[in-house]
Structure formats: structure tokens, C-alpha cells
Amino acid sequence: MAHAGPVIVVGSGLAGLCTALAAAPRPVLLLSRGQHANGSASMLAQGGIAAAMDPDDTIEAHVADTLRAGAGYNDLHCVQLLAAAAPASIHWLQAQGAVFDQDGDTLQLGREGGHGVARIVHAGGDATGLRVTTALVAAVAAATHVEWRSDVEVDGLVLRGGRIAGVTVDSGGRSETLPGSDVVLATGGIGALFPSTTNPPGANGAGLALAFAAGAALRDLEFVQFHPTALDVGAGSLPLVTEALRGAGARLRDGIGRLVMANAHPLGDLAPRDIVARRVCQARRETGAVTLDARGLDIDWARAFPTVLAACLQHGIDPRSMPIPVTASAHFHMGGVHADDIGRTSIPGLHAVGEVACNGVHGANRLASNSLLECVVFGRRLGAHLGKQPAAWSHASNGGAAALELVMRGPGLDHEAMQLLRDTMGQAAGPIRTEQGLREASETLAPLAGRGWQARLAQELLACAYRRKQSLGAHWRADAALTPSSASIAVA
Ligand code: SIN
């Protein structure tokens, strides 16, 4: 079968890997910054993958929990696609070589915040992202339709007649143009634009900024999820302390030993993540520190939480005998490049999948362990769609004789300016926001906008947050009028 030219997939996290695999037999060029999937947020994901696998669970219940977490702002069609495809996605991952934790023949199912039942499939305890992504890296390496080029930075998009015609890459200081009729952005999130994050340092919004520079429609940028329990050991990329630990009974305490979530929400420590994150911020502000107390839990640390245990021990904290210091940190971007349910963006030939994309599935706040699931479900849908493209890559349908246009992301900010940007974003666009704070942050960043793409992207996010006057999901405006349901979780 002849095909419509190569697919270029930018990013080797789970979304990119699934898209590449599912596009077979169409040729795929997979471009990554590092070797294999190193540096992707997928590798760091701990909790697992949500799927209604238990006979007593239902797709409808998974849909309902996803909508509740997303404050009802979700795209219902995409949520239904996600939840309905979840069980088959687990089987597909197993077929690719992923091995999930089981009791005998039965998958072990964990519980996380916002879920009404135990629904989290995991691998190697809290090493799910690492295990699943590693299995897919091997599957992609064995796939003959995928050519993988690592150590390249995609820094521009090539268009002809308004349609994608390829990308430009920086490869060890050498610039190159790679032709392709379809480009998939699978470049992850924006946590590195904040002072602390559970994301890897490379999650700096570079793919989002590229789409923005090319004029692609963006959506819901103001919705950024903050994880309540990053290990409080400094700034930058911090180790995650998985929510599954609270699912196993760990409790949040403030600096004077009080339970942080007491009387705050019926689900207590397992309330939706945005609510817990705000309480953690408030408690830190009032009492100087927040800890997660996992002492005395009846768990096999080495089997169930090897990643958290290792990260804590590395910083001199033994979670079996000491409370774990935690802080709320940027974790997941619900907003992104506006995409439909098969990843198409407003620019013909440009696609987006995974965290960089926004098809509305997560609404205003993502439900725990729906992110790896999103990568698999929508990555496979996009890959299958691209793989079925007819052999109609004609000169006419690809811009005819129109001249090639090159859209570059442009230079980035220097270290000092990035520091200012992160601090500003942390102050103004963190878990608790105000109109004044957002306006002042935009003024602070204005002089940087001409100097680096990060500032332009951050300003766009601030503008979206400024325009949304009411609190919704992860976007909490402390200056907004309180609704009766939000009053009980208000923070100063
Ligand atoms: C966690 O393990 O707490 C994070 C999982 C997720 O982001 O869904």
C-alpha cells in the first residue's frame, strides 16, 4: 500500500510511542531530544493507569469520576471514548510487553484521589510509567515501520499553502529540514515554567510554543494541575510522592501536626487533587511545612512504593520512620494545542496528542491516572487514523506550487530570565490566583516577551487565567465570589 508520505512524531513519551506503533504500516520518523524515552514525563508517572477492570466497576462510573474531577468542564464525548477504551488499552499494553502487577491471574487495582473505587492498574508498584514506557520503547525499536532519531531538537515547522510540509531540527548545532506530510506533537507539558514541578526539566512547553508560533488554536491554557505531594527538597524538578500512598492510608499533616484535610472534603486526603493542593499551600503558608505521614502503614515498601522509597532515602528521609516533607508543585497541563478526538489541530497536517494536546477530556482538572491512559487511547486513535490515510499525497493537496513557509519557535530565555519567569508564574499562576497577581505578573513578563518564547507562552497562559474570572477546577481565583459548594474548601 502506498502512503501519504512519512509521519513525523515529535516526542518519545508514551503518547508519541503509541502513535508511532499504531500508524503501521505507514513509515514514521520518531524524533526525540534524548535517547529512548529518557527525559519524558511518562517515565516518571507513578500512580498507574485508570481502567474499569473490576467486575463491580463500570465504564459509566469511570466517566462520572472523570467528569466530577474535571468540574464538568470536560468534553463528554472524549471522556466516554477514554473510559470505554481503557480496559482494551490495558490488554493492548500487555500485548506490547507491559507486565502489570497481579494477584494470581487477577490484576491488582489501587485507589487514588477522585476515584470512587479501586481502579488503578500498576506495574512494579509505583514504577508504572517506567515499566510501561520501557516496554513500548522495546516494541517501537522492533517495529520496522519506525525510524528513531534521538538527540534532535525540533525548532521549526515547515508549511506550504497553510499545510504542514515538515519540520526543522537542530541536531548538535546543525540545522536540518525534514519533510513530512503529517507532524505529530507529543512533546508533553509545561511544568518547567514553574518554580517546582513533578515533571522532568525538559517539560518546558517547547512543542506548545511551536504550535503557538505557527498560529495553531490553543485551548484552556489556564488549567494547570498542581500535585499536592512533591517531595519538598528544593526547587525545579522534584520527585513525586504518589497519591497511591494516600490511597494506602498516609495522611497529610501541617507544621503543627494537624490533619490538613480534616473537615475539608468528604473524601479527606483522597479529595480531588486541586482541593488537596490548595489546602497544602494554605497549611504551608500558615504553619511553615506540610508532611505526609506514612509511618506505621501495613505496606511492603520495596514492592509497592520502590520509587518513593528510593527518592526519600536519597534525601535522607526514611518514610517508614519519618514524616515525608511535601509541597504542591506543577504536575499536569490540562490545556494545550486544541485538538479533536483524533488529534487534528487547526493547522492541516499538524496533530497533537498527550499532555501537549487539549481535546477537553480532562476538563478543568485531570482525574488521577487518566494521563497515561490518555496517551494510549488517543495515541492509538491518532496513529490508526494516520496509518489509514489514502495514497493521495498529491502535489495539489499539499499546497501545490505555494512557497514553503518556515515558522521558527525562536530563541529561548537565558538562565536569569527563566528564574524570574518561574518565580513570577509560581506567585501568580499557582494553585491560588488573583486578578491583581495575574495582572502584575503579566506586566513583569512583558519586557521578556521579545527575548524568549517561554515568556510569550507564559503571558498567553496568564492572559487566559486573567480572563477566567470564576474559579473552576484547578483554576482557583481567590478573588472570585464563592459558590456554596466551594465555600467549604475556600482558602485565604
Ligand atoms: C500520582 O501517582 O500521584 C500521580 C498520578 C497521576 O498524575 O495521575
Side-chain angles (χ1 to χ4, degrees), residues 44-48 112-113 115 120 126 198 225 227-229 240-246 273 331-332 366-372:
L44 303 180
Q46 293 185 7
E112 286 184 14
H115 289 273
I120 315 301
D126 63 8
T198 60
Q225 181 175 86
H227 198 291
T229 58
L240 179 67
V241 179
T242 178
E243 198 158 289
L245 205 50
R246 275 175 281 138
R273 209 169 268 175
H331 183 61
F332 188 85
R366 175 174 66 73
L367 180 66
S369 286
N370 267 354
S371 58
L372 293 181

Coordinates of all heavy atoms in Angstrom, one line a residue, residues 44-48 112-113 115 120 126 198 225 227-229 240-246 273 331-332 366-372, ligand 1:
L44 N 8.3 9.0 34.5 CA 8.2 9.3 35.9 C 6.9 9.0 36.5 O 6.7 9.1 37.8 CB 8.5 10.8 36.1 CG 9.8 11.3 35.6 CD1 9.9 12.8 35.9 CD2 11.0 10.6 36.2
A45 N 5.9 8.7 35.7 CA 4.5 8.5 36.2 C 4.5 7.3 37.2 O 5.0 6.3 36.9 CB 3.5 8.3 35.1
Q46 N 3.9 7.6 38.3 CA 3.9 6.6 39.4 C 2.6 5.8 39.6 O 2.6 4.6 39.7 CB 4.3 7.2 40.7 CG 5.7 7.7 40.8 CD 6.1 8.3 42.1 OE1 5.4 8.2 43.1 NE2 7.3 8.9 42.2
G47 N 1.5 6.6 39.7 CA 0.3 6.0 40.1 C -0.1 4.8 39.3 O -0.3 3.7 39.8
G48 N -0.4 5.0 38.0 CA -0.7 3.9 37.2 C -1.7 4.3 36.1 O -1.6 5.5 35.6
E112 N -6.9 5.9 44.0 CA -6.3 7.2 44.1 C -7.4 8.3 44.2 O -8.6 8.0 44.0 CB -5.5 7.5 42.8 CG -4.2 6.7 42.8 CD -3.3 7.0 41.6 OE1 -3.6 8.0 40.9 OE2 -2.4 6.3 41.4
G113 N -7.0 9.5 44.4 CA -7.9 10.6 44.7 C -8.9 10.8 43.6 O -8.6 10.7 42.4
H115 N -11.3 8.9 42.7 CA -11.9 7.7 42.2 C -12.9 7.1 43.2 O -12.4 7.0 44.4 CB -10.9 6.6 41.8 CG -10.1 7.0 40.6 ND1 -10.5 6.6 39.3 CD2 -8.9 7.6 40.4 CE1 -9.6 7.1 38.4 NE2 -8.6 7.7 39.1
I120 N -7.0 1.5 39.7 CA -5.7 1.9 39.1 C -4.8 0.6 38.9 O -4.3 0.0 39.8 CB -4.9 2.9 40.0 CG1 -5.8 4.0 40.5 CG2 -3.7 3.4 39.3 CD1 -6.5 4.8 39.5
D126 N 4.9 1.5 42.3 CA 4.8 2.9 41.8 C 5.7 3.2 40.6 O 6.0 4.3 40.3 CB 5.1 3.8 43.0 CG 6.5 3.7 43.5 OD1 7.3 3.0 42.9 OD2 6.8 4.3 44.5
T198 N 6.7 18.3 39.3 CA 7.0 16.9 39.3 C 7.4 16.4 37.9 O 7.7 15.2 37.7 CB 5.7 16.1 39.6 OG1 4.7 16.4 38.7 CG2 5.2 16.5 41.0
Q225 N -2.6 21.7 36.6 CA -2.9 20.9 37.9 C -1.6 20.9 38.7 O -0.5 20.7 38.2 CB -3.2 19.5 37.5 CG -3.5 18.6 38.7 CD -3.9 17.2 38.3 OE1 -3.1 16.3 38.1 NE2 -5.2 17.0 38.2
H227 N 0.2 19.1 41.9 CA 0.2 17.9 42.7 C 0.5 18.2 44.1 O 1.5 18.9 44.4 CB 1.2 16.8 42.2 CG 0.9 15.4 42.6 ND1 1.0 15.1 43.9 CD2 0.4 14.4 42.0 CE1 0.7 13.8 44.1 NE2 0.3 13.3 42.9
P228 N -0.3 17.8 45.1 CA -0.2 18.2 46.5 C 1.1 17.6 47.1 O 1.6 18.2 48.1 CB -1.4 17.6 47.2 CG -2.2 16.9 46.2 CD -1.5 16.9 44.9
T229 N 1.6 16.5 46.6 CA 2.7 15.9 47.3 C 4.0 15.6 46.4 O 4.2 14.5 46.1 CB 2.3 14.6 48.0 OG1 1.7 13.7 47.0 CG2 1.2 14.8 49.0
L240 N 8.1 12.9 42.8 CA 6.7 12.8 43.1 C 6.6 11.8 44.3 O 7.3 10.8 44.4 CB 6.0 12.2 41.9 CG 4.5 12.0 42.0 CD1 3.7 13.3 42.2 CD2 3.9 11.3 40.8
V241 N 5.6 12.1 45.2 CA 5.2 11.1 46.2 C 3.8 10.8 45.9 O 2.9 11.5 46.1 CB 5.3 11.8 47.6 CG1 4.9 10.7 48.7 CG2 6.8 12.2 47.9
T242 N 3.7 9.6 45.3 CA 2.4 9.2 44.6 C 1.2 9.3 45.5 O 1.3 9.0 46.7 CB 2.5 7.8 44.0 OG1 1.2 7.5 43.4 CG2 2.8 6.7 45.0
E243 N 0.1 9.7 44.9 CA -1.2 9.8 45.6 C -1.6 8.4 46.1 O -2.4 8.3 47.0 CB -2.2 10.2 44.6 CG -3.5 10.8 45.1 CD -4.1 11.7 44.1 OE1 -3.6 12.8 43.9 OE2 -5.1 11.3 43.5
A244 N -1.1 7.3 45.4 CA -1.4 6.0 45.9 C -1.0 5.7 47.3 O -1.6 4.9 48.0 CB -0.7 5.0 44.9
L245 N 0.0 6.5 47.8 CA 0.4 6.4 49.2 C -0.7 6.8 50.1 O -1.0 6.2 51.2 CB 1.6 7.2 49.4 CG 2.6 6.8 50.5 CD1 2.9 5.3 50.5 CD2 3.9 7.6 50.4
R246 N -1.4 7.9 49.7 CA -2.6 8.3 50.5 C -3.7 7.3 50.3 O -4.5 7.0 51.2 CB -3.1 9.7 50.0 CG -2.3 10.8 50.7 CD -2.7 12.2 50.2 NE -2.1 12.5 49.0 CZ -2.6 13.1 47.9 NH1 -3.9 13.4 48.0 NH2 -1.9 13.3 46.8
R273 N -7.5 16.4 43.4 CA -6.2 16.9 43.6 C -6.1 18.4 43.8 O -5.2 18.9 44.5 CB -5.4 16.5 42.4 CG -3.9 16.3 42.6 CD -3.4 15.6 41.4 NE -3.4 14.1 41.5 CZ -3.0 13.3 40.5 NH1 -2.6 13.9 39.3 NH2 -3.0 12.0 40.6
H331 N 2.1 19.9 38.0 CA 2.1 18.5 37.7 C 1.6 18.2 36.3 O 2.2 17.3 35.6 CB 1.3 17.8 38.7 CG 1.2 16.3 38.6 ND1 2.3 15.5 38.7 CD2 0.2 15.4 38.4 CE1 2.0 14.2 38.6 NE2 0.7 14.2 38.4
F332 N 0.6 18.8 35.9 CA -0.1 18.4 34.6 C -0.8 19.6 34.0 O -1.5 20.4 34.7 CB -1.0 17.3 34.8 CG -1.6 16.7 33.5 CD1 -0.9 15.7 32.9 CD2 -2.8 17.2 33.0 CE1 -1.4 15.2 31.7 CE2 -3.3 16.6 31.8 CZ -2.6 15.6 31.2
R366 N -7.5 17.2 35.8 CA -7.5 15.8 35.4 C -7.6 14.8 36.6 O -7.1 15.1 37.7 CB -6.1 15.5 34.7 CG -5.9 14.0 34.4 CD -4.6 13.8 33.7 NE -3.4 14.1 34.4 CZ -2.9 13.3 35.4 NH1 -3.5 12.2 35.8 NH2 -1.8 13.7 36.0
L367 N -8.4 13.8 36.4 CA -8.5 12.7 37.4 C -7.2 11.9 37.4 O -6.6 11.6 36.4 CB -9.7 11.8 37.0 CG -10.0 10.6 37.9 CD1 -10.5 11.1 39.2 CD2 -11.1 9.7 37.2
A368 N -6.9 11.5 38.6 CA -5.6 10.7 38.8 C -5.6 9.5 37.9 O -6.6 8.8 37.6 CB -5.6 10.2 40.3
S369 N -4.4 9.3 37.3 CA -4.1 8.1 36.5 C -4.9 8.0 35.2 O -5.0 7.0 34.6 CB -4.2 6.8 37.3 OG -3.1 6.7 38.1
N370 N -5.4 9.2 34.8 CA -6.0 9.3 33.4 C -5.0 9.8 32.4 O -5.4 9.9 31.2 CB -7.2 10.2 33.4 CG -8.6 9.5 33.7 OD1 -8.6 8.3 33.7 ND2 -9.6 10.2 33.8
S371 N -3.8 10.1 32.8 CA -2.9 10.7 31.8 C -2.2 9.7 31.0 O -2.1 9.8 29.8 CB -1.9 11.6 32.5 OG -1.1 10.9 33.5
L372 N -1.6 8.6 31.6 CA -1.0 7.6 30.8 C -2.1 7.0 29.9 O -1.9 6.6 28.7 CB -0.4 6.5 31.6 CG 0.9 6.9 32.4 CD1 1.4 5.7 33.2 CD2 2.0 7.5 31.5
Ligands
SIN1 C1 0.3 10.1 41.4 O1 0.8 9.0 41.3 O2 0.0 10.6 42.4 C2 0.2 10.8 40.1 C3 -0.6 10.0 39.1 C4 -1.2 11.0 38.2 O3 -0.7 12.0 37.9 O4 -2.3 10.6 37.7

